[in-house]
C-alpha cells in the first residue's frame, strides 16, 4: 500500500500535469511523453480528452501503463 505522503505526492503530480496539459493543448490534440514511466501524463491527457503517445523502454513501465490504461493501444518496437 502507498504511504499517505506518497499518495499526496501522486495527487499533486496529477494536478500539475493537468494544468500543463490544459494550458498547452486542446481537446482532441495529441500529447507526447518520451519518458512515460507509469503513464501519469497519458492518464491525465486521456481524462482531459486528449490522445497521448507514451514512450518508455522499460518493460515494467509498459506493463504498468497497460494495466493503468486498458483502453490504450500498445506498440512495441523491435519485437
Amino acid at each position: 500500500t502507498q504511504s499517505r505522503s506518497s499518495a499526496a505526492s501522486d495527487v499533486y503530480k496529477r494536478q500539475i500535469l493537468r494544468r500543463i496539459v490544459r494550458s498547452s493543448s486542446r481537446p482532441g490534440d495529441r500529447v507526447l511523453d518520451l519518458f512515460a514511466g507509469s503513464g501519469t501524463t497519458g492518464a491525465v491527457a486521456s481524462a482531459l480528452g486528449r490522445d497521448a503517445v507514451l514512450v518508455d523502454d522499460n518493460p515494467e513501465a509498459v506493463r504498468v501503463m497497460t494495466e493503468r490504461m486498458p483502453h490504450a493501444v500498445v506498440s512495441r518496437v523491435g519485437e
Side-chain angles (χ1 to χ4, degrees):
T1 63
Q2 272 186 316
S3 70
R4 193 173 287 168
S5 64
S6 178
S9 176
D10 288 346
V11 169
Y12 180 72
K13 289 175 192 175
R14 287 192 303 271
Q15 289 172 340
I16 294 295
L17 282 168
R18 197 171 288 119
R19 289 179 67 187
I20 292 168
V21 170
R22 273 193 187 133
S23 66
S24 61
S25 65
R26 293 179 291 235
D29 282 353
R30 187 166 292 136
V31 174
L32 174 64
D33 185 353
L34 295 174
F35 303 96
S38 65
T40 303
T41 300
V44 168
S46 180
L48 294 173
R50 279 73 165 170
D51 292 327
V53 175
L54 308 176
V55 179
D56 205 296
D57 66 351
N58 181 335
E60 179 63 12
V62 174
R63 185 193 66 74
V64 169
M65 283 187 273
T66 303
E67 287 179 6
R68 188 175 194 177
M69 294 171 283
H71 61 281
V73 175
V74 177
S75 297
R76 291 181 173 85
V77 177
E79 287 187 356

